[in-house]
Amino acid sequence: MAGFNKVVTNYADAMNGLEDGMTVISGGFGLCGIPEGLIAQIKEMGVKDLTFVSNNCGVDDFGLGVLLENKQIKKMISSYVGENALFEKQFLSGELEVELTPQGTLAEKMRAGGAGIPAFYTATGYGTPVAEGKETREFNGRHYVLEEAITADFAIIRAWKADKMGNLIYRDTAMNFNPMAATAGKITVAEVEEIVEVGELEPTHIHTPGIYVNRVIKGNFEKRIEKLTLSR
Amino acid sequence: MAGFNKVVTNYADAMNGLEDGMTVISGGFGLCGIPEGLIAQIKEMGVKDLTFVSNNCGVDDFGLGVLLENKQIKKMISSYVGENALFEKQFLSGELEVELTPQGTLAEKMRAGGAGIPAFYTATGYGTPVAEGKETREFNGRHYVLEEAITADFAIIRAWKADKMGNLIYRDTAMNFNPMAATAGKITVAEVEEIVEVGELEPTHIHTPGIYVNRVIKGNFEKRIEKLTLSR
Amino acid sequence: MALTREQIAMRVAQELQDGFYVNLGIGIPTLAANYVSTDIEVMLQSENGLLGMGPYPTEDQVDPDMINAGKETVTAVKGASIFSSAESFAMIRGGHVDLTVLGAFEVDQNGNIASYMIPGKLVKGMGGAMDLVAGAPNIIVTMTHADKHGNSKLLESCTLPLTGVNCIKKVITDLAVLDIRDGAFHLLETAPGISVEEVQAKTKGKLIVSDSVREMQFN
Amino acid sequence: MALTREQIAMRVAQELQDGFYVNLGIGIPTLAANYVSTDIEVMLQSENGLLGMGPYPTEDQVDPDMINAGKETVTAVKGASIFSSAESFAMIRGGHVDLTVLGAFEVDQNGNIASYMIPGKLVKGMGGAMDLVAGAPNIIVTMTHADKHGNSKLLESCTLPLTGVNCIKKVITDLAVLDIRDGAFHLLETAPGISVEEVQAKTKGKLIVSDSVREMQFN
């Protein structure tokens, strides 16, 4: 298994190579399905001026919020950033640059980045501030906006199960942006709940084939709940 | 279950609405994963001047080949059509129109059609006959071709298991083009090996969510093998 | 009397038809799920990647890996499927979701909607709203007819930055149900006790009152 | 002596490195899988939707639902994954496959390749070849150095319709191994018993012979 054993046993190895000024795509939606330990490691490393591509930016003291707190993020490309007072402060003071991108366009930009598609047309955002400065075009009588792909130096993701070859399976809605993020990193690091033997994952159940994954590390997750809602 | 029970019990109902001149996307790769009974039903119906979008066109007496034999196909959009003497004859005589499309571009055109993306750029085919008459464009120093999405009046696909709501799971490499085809039909008909109760399919194992599927029918498949190769 | 939030949600629920795949936005739209007729079945789509969203969980069922687009803990119904956000928005953008219901700050007589940004206030982001309004074949906006200062939210032309253009087909407010077509609001129903004149007074955009305006019916 | 098909495949196999994800085209490239060193592990990608293609099945293992891109019955190795053709080509187009080996009719000194169409003959289609040559970061063509009439297939400029432009980095023929860069073929190795002069005579495109040309090594 020399060639395909992607398991690393410490976080320093998992994020080795991450440098100031790099772009990082992160999986997760809100606090669900985020690579908690990899984010903690980035804080530990103290690298600065990072651009993060992630649907959200965590909350003040959890998720990507801890990197905001530590002033490591220069720019966020996100669809919704509204749960975070620190974010607001840094944005209003001009410390933090923000590029708001519709959620579906963001997901598709990551997929396109991983799939070798440099740009695609979508009706999303036509006639809105999102389309400003972008090419628009008509197909069959409807208007569309040209959106370009996103790739990154690193992609950090969370999965449920991995085998040593980096084949991944996600758990429930913790899947969210992780599969696309996995395809779009030059180096993709998966933090997982469980590492199983090669052959234990059913080939047609694998959500992310190992070809997209460079490193796998077993994590321990707090899995904080953002909005606990209970049935009455 | 009134609202989401998509099961039909005879092939006439399964293909009801198919008319002369319509476009049909078919799943399958070679003879693997093709909706055998739905193809037989189209032959039975005798509808003519069909445009078929399918990676291949079957062999002389199986798969879409039977519709060629019956002169029901006006045009094929395919990536590879080389297993079929009848095809050759009809093509050379001008009876049959053919639009050759690279396999990956064909798969992506179907996905784009289902995903509301009217067009995308790909490096595939740049500088080749495939790019003739198409817009080309440079992104980050590489050349790309603009390719438009494909949708169809009907999509006919084969799956392994379906529940009554049309959630589908494919078996091994019989998956191939079926998942994208499923998304790109105005009416999508799935011919399956087994129909299970709602709730039996694990939500994260479902390859095609039922939202894409209009009708489900249980079929019996010959599953002819195109090239039997055995280990020595 | 203007409708309460719950009453608006009840009226919205009447728009849901048997066999519909529906995306319900945060707020009043989500409430509508509580009032769906037991005679019909609908499947709720949550754009983070869940088709077949169920009720909130009991304490035993709570799972941090099972949330909806509002980041609330939820359950999945039988027949649910779970997929990536790219697949989820392929579904939305591709027009496969039968009906989307969402809130707005403003809607205008051309079906434009403004719902995500008030200049001068912090921009929190559009989330999935721009994709939803660009993708669904059928979109209903639900909101109060006027803001708390009494200013109409049904305008000739939206004043705030747009979420989408020419996409809203119907508006359900605390005062009325209106279709949007041919560059005008068409009054279909009034809330119990609300006069056509009051709706006219509180609608700034072009309003067409048909002969067949009726009072909303609640069971 | 010019190499046999099996010998070409053996030489191709030497290009495979430990940990490589590889797509092997129909014909000689597929044969190379038989000669991969037991010291290394590679994963074979089959573009219909299989990563981790194994050997042909025994009679007991034959399954019509398990085929490769050549439509041959195959098996899957441990650690294999199976996915749609769209996902498969996302992988290919996105440059995730480390190495692609495929056959060709012609290759030229600018790395252009013609492999799918001979005008006047029936066009059978490009299948996945155009995607593969446009996608893989590293592409090797394997073919005979000349056609059966002795005409060179390594040209200044391809004469047949192209499969892809500026994409071929290396050619392994029955006579030689050559890199393509800076608008020329660079001779690296000759087959046992084949002289540099013979390669020169049979290469129509610009050929640069370095001082370090060596004879191919086989174990």
Side-chain angles (χ1 to χ4, degrees):
Chain A
M1 288 299 312
F4 293 100
N5 188 351
K6 301 182 180 173
V7 176
V8 296
T9 51
N10 66 74
Y11 283 101
D13 287 348
M15 292 310 298
N16 184 33
L18 182 67
E19 293 172 13
D20 290 357
M22 279 187 167
T23 297
V24 182
I25 293 180
S26 177
F29 176 81
L31 302 182
C32 179
I34 58 174
E36 301 176 13
L38 299 178
I39 294 169
Q41 172 61 23
I42 294 172
K43 180 177 175 188
E44 177 72 23
M45 291 167 79
V47 283
K48 295 213 181 315
D49 294 326
L50 299 172
T51 295
F52 261 90
V53 186
S54 169
N55 191 62
N56 313 93
C57 195
V59 294
D60 277 347
D61 63 341
F62 201 66
L64 295 181
V66 304
L67 303 182
L68 272 183
E69 198 178 7
N70 212 25
K71 304 201 174 181
Q72 295 178 257
I73 303 181
K74 184 185 65 177
K75 180 177 177 181
M76 283 296 312
I77 300 175
S78 300
S79 89
Y80 189 79
V81 290
E83 327 286 0
N84 204 310
L86 204 59
F87 186 98
E88 187 166 345
K89 194 165 152 249
Q90 291 190 14
F91 175 64
L92 293 175
S93 74
E95 275 177 278
L96 180 67
E97 197 182 332
V98 179
E99 187 176 318
L100 288 177
T101 303
Q103 194 171 334
T105 298
L106 185 63
E108 191 66 15
K109 278 169 166 267
M110 290 184 195
R111 181 194 177 269
I117 290 172
F120 58 90
Y121 288 93
T122 174
T124 301
Y126 177 79
T128 79
V130 163
E132 275 167 28
K134 290 177 187 160
E135 178 186 314
T136 62
R137 186 155 172 167
E138 219 176 298
F139 293 94
N140 303 313
R142 264 196 95 182
H143 297 282
Y144 296 87
V145 184
L146 183 66
E147 293 282 2
E148 295 197 13
I150 292 179
T151 56
D153 299 296
F154 272 81
I156 59 172
I157 63 168
R158 181 201 316 162
W160 182 29
K161 293 183 183 180
D163 66 20
K164 292 172 181 170
M165 297 176 101
N167 291 306
L168 305 180
I169 287 180
Y170 304 97
R171 189 163 174 278
D172 292 344
T173 62
M175 188 185 306
N176 58 58
F177 280 77
N178 285 299
M180 295 79 75
T183 68
K186 285 198 196 84
I187 296 175
T188 292
V189 189
E191 188 183 14
V192 305
E193 298 184 50
E194 188 185 346
I195 297 176
V196 303
E197 288 304 313
V198 171
E200 280 188 44
L201 305 179
E202 172 68 25
T204 56
H205 292 174
I206 290 169
H207 295 122
T208 293
I211 195 170
Y212 293 115
V213 179
N214 301 88
R215 303 171 191 167
V216 173
I217 187 165
K218 189 183 170 314
N220 288 305
F221 300 93
E222 176 184 335
K223 292 196 183 181
R224 193 184 293 188
I225 289 174
E226 200 160 342
K227 293 184 192 164
L228 179 66
T229 42
L230 295 172
S231 67
R232 282 160 289 186
Chain B
M1 288 298 312
F4 294 99
N5 187 351
K6 301 181 181 175
V7 176
V8 298
T9 51
N10 65 74
Y11 283 102
D13 287 347
M15 293 310 299
N16 183 33
L18 181 67
E19 293 173 12
D20 289 357
M22 280 188 166
T23 297
V24 182
I25 293 180
S26 177
F29 177 81
L31 302 182
C32 179
I34 58 174
E36 300 177 12
L38 300 178
I39 294 170
Q41 173 61 22
I42 294 173
K43 180 177 174 185
E44 178 72 24
M45 291 166 80
V47 284
K48 294 211 182 315
D49 295 325
L50 299 172
T51 295
F52 261 90
V53 186
S54 170
N55 191 61
N56 313 93
C57 193
V59 295
D60 277 346
D61 63 341
F62 201 66
L64 296 181
V66 304
L67 303 182
L68 273 183
E69 200 178 3
N70 212 25
K71 303 201 172 181
Q72 295 178 257
I73 303 181
K74 184 186 65 178
K75 179 177 177 180
M76 283 297 311
I77 300 175
S78 301
S79 90
Y80 189 79
V81 291
E83 328 285 0
N84 204 310
L86 204 59
F87 186 98
E88 186 166 345
K89 193 165 152 251
Q90 292 189 14
F91 175 65
L92 293 176
S93 74
E95 274 178 278
L96 180 66
E97 197 182 332
V98 179
E99 187 176 318
L100 288 176
T101 303
Q103 194 172 334
T105 298
L106 185 63
E108 192 66 16
K109 278 169 166 268
M110 291 184 195
R111 182 194 177 269
I117 291 171
F120 59 91
Y121 288 93
T122 174
T124 300
Y126 177 79
T128 78
V130 162
E132 275 167 27
K134 292 177 186 160
E135 178 187 315
T136 62
R137 186 154 171 166
E138 220 176 297
F139 293 94
N140 303 313
R142 262 196 96 182
H143 296 283
Y144 296 88
V145 183
L146 183 67
E147 293 282 2
E148 296 198 13
I150 291 179
T151 56
D153 299 296
F154 272 80
I156 59 172
I157 63 168
R158 185 211 303 169
W160 182 29
K161 292 182 183 180
D163 67 19
K164 291 172 183 172
M165 297 176 102
N167 291 305
L168 305 180
I169 287 181
Y170 304 97
R171 189 165 174 278
D172 292 343
T173 63
M175 187 185 307
N176 57 61
F177 280 78
N178 285 299
M180 295 79 73
T183 69
K186 285 199 196 84
I187 295 176
T188 292
V189 189
E191 188 182 14
V192 305
E193 298 184 50
E194 189 185 346
I195 297 177
V196 303
E197 288 305 314
V198 170
E200 281 188 44
L201 304 180
E202 171 67 26
T204 55
H205 292 173
I206 290 168
H207 296 122
T208 293
I211 195 170
Y212 294 115
V213 178
N214 301 88
R215 304 171 191 167
V216 173
I217 186 165
K218 188 181 171 317
N220 289 304
F221 300 92
E222 175 185 336
K223 293 199 184 181
R224 193 184 293 187
I225 289 174
E226 200 160 341
K227 292 183 193 166
L228 179 66
T229 41
L230 296 171
S231 68
R232 281 159 288 184
Chain C
M1 277 281 286
L3 302 182
T4 62
R5 280 168 59 88
E6 281 70 22
Q7 287 170 317
I8 301 177
M10 286 169 72
R11 180 60 192 83
V12 167
Q14 294 173 20
E15 299 293 319
L16 275 50
Q17 295 175 26
D18 194 29
F20 262 23
Y21 295 97
V22 182
N23 185 294
L24 300 176
I26 293 168
I28 296 174
T30 293
L31 275 181
N34 298 331
Y35 301 106
V36 178
S37 160
T38 51
D39 298 340
I40 67 167
E41 277 201 78
V42 299
M43 286 285 268
L44 302 180
Q45 207 259 12
S46 186
E47 63 265 29
N48 50 323
L50 168 61
L51 181 66
M53 179 166 60
Y56 294 141
T58 61
E59 246 169 285
D60 289 352
Q61 291 173 322
V62 168
D63 183 340
D65 291 339
M66 184 61 92
I67 67 169
N68 66 14
K71 287 148 198 162
E72 302 170 326
T73 47
V74 292
T75 57
V77 300
K78 270 193 182 185
S81 51
I82 294 173
F83 33 80
S84 74
S85 299
E87 178 60 41
S88 183
F89 281 94
M91 222 170 253
I92 290 166
R93 201 189 303 104
H96 303 280
V97 175
D98 297 300
L99 175 65
T100 282
V101 186
L102 78 171
F105 300 140
E106 298 175 344
V107 167
D108 73 26
Q109 65 197 33
N110 291 309
N112 298 325
I113 171 175
S115 68
Y116 84 104
M117 180 186 182
I118 298 182
K121 290 201 182 180
L122 183 71
V123 183
K124 297 194 168 182
M126 66 294 284
M130 281 193 183
D131 303 280
L132 282 160
V133 299
N138 191 5
I139 305 166
I140 296 176
V141 160
T142 177
M143 58 180 187
T144 56
H145 210 95
D147 68 17
K148 53 189 169 184
H149 308 293
N151 299 313
S152 178
K153 293 157 82 171
L154 284 73
L155 306 176
E156 193 180 327
S157 182
C158 288
T159 63
L160 296 170
L162 297 180
T163 309
V165 296
N166 308 322
C167 53
I168 308 304
K169 305 278 173 63
K170 184 174 270 192
V171 187
I172 298 178
T173 75
D174 53 342
L175 304 184
V177 177
L178 311 95
D179 270 355
I180 303 178
R181 59 172 194 275
D182 308 327
F185 296 100
H186 296 253
L187 181 61
L188 303 177
E189 300 175 23
T190 52
I194 299 294
S195 67
V196 169
E197 290 68 27
E198 183 170 351
V199 174
Q200 283 175 315
K202 290 195 172 156
T203 302
K204 222 170 153 189
K206 181 172 174 186
L207 179 70
I208 294 176
V209 180
S210 78
D211 298 338
S212 57
V213 175
R214 62 189 190 91
E215 188 175 285
M216 291 182 202
Q217 301 296 315
F218 294 95
N219 306 338
Chain D
M1 278 281 287
L3 301 183
T4 62
R5 279 168 59 89
E6 282 70 22
Q7 287 171 318
I8 300 177
M10 286 168 72
R11 181 58 194 82
V12 167
Q14 294 174 20
E15 299 292 319
L16 275 51
Q17 295 174 26
D18 194 29
F20 262 24
Y21 295 97
V22 182
N23 186 294
L24 300 176
I26 294 168
I28 295 174
T30 294
L31 275 182
N34 298 332
Y35 302 106
V36 177
S37 160
T38 52
D39 298 342
I40 67 168
E41 278 201 76
V42 300
M43 287 284 269
L44 301 180
Q45 206 259 13
S46 185
E47 64 265 29
N48 51 321
L50 169 60
L51 181 65
M53 178 168 59
Y56 293 142
T58 61
E59 246 169 286
D60 289 351
Q61 291 172 322
V62 168
D63 183 338
D65 291 339
M66 184 60 90
I67 67 169
N68 67 13
K71 287 149 197 163
E72 303 170 325
T73 47
V74 291
T75 57
V77 300
K78 270 194 182 184
S81 51
I82 294 173
F83 34 79
S84 74
S85 300
E87 178 61 40
S88 183
F89 281 95
M91 222 170 254
I92 289 167
R93 201 188 304 102
H96 303 279
V97 175
D98 297 299
L99 174 66
T100 282
V101 186
L102 78 172
F105 300 140
E106 297 175 345
V107 167
D108 73 26
Q109 65 197 32
N110 291 309
N112 299 324
I113 171 175
S115 68
Y116 85 103
M117 180 185 181
I118 299 181
K121 289 200 182 179
L122 183 72
V123 183
K124 296 191 168 183
M126 67 293 285
M130 281 193 182
D131 303 280
L132 282 161
V133 299
N138 191 5
I139 305 166
I140 296 176
V141 160
T142 178
M143 58 181 188
T144 56
H145 210 95
D147 68 17
K148 54 189 168 185
H149 308 294
N151 300 312
S152 178
K153 293 157 83 171
L154 285 73
L155 306 176
E156 193 180 328
S157 182
C158 288
T159 63
L160 296 170
L162 297 179
T163 308
V165 296
N166 308 323
C167 53
I168 308 304
K169 305 277 172 63
K170 186 174 268 192
V171 187
I172 298 178
T173 75
D174 53 343
L175 304 184
V177 177
L178 311 96
D179 271 356
I180 303 178
R181 59 172 195 275
D182 307 328
F185 296 100
H186 295 254
L187 181 60
L188 303 178
E189 300 176 23
T190 52
I194 299 293
S195 66
V196 168
E197 290 69 29
E198 183 170 350
V199 174
Q200 284 175 314
K202 289 194 172 156
T203 303
K204 222 171 155 188
K206 181 173 174 186
L207 179 69
I208 294 176
V209 180
S210 79
D211 297 338
S212 58
V213 174
R214 63 188 190 92
E215 189 175 285
M216 291 181 202
Q217 300 296 315
F218 294 96
N219 308 337

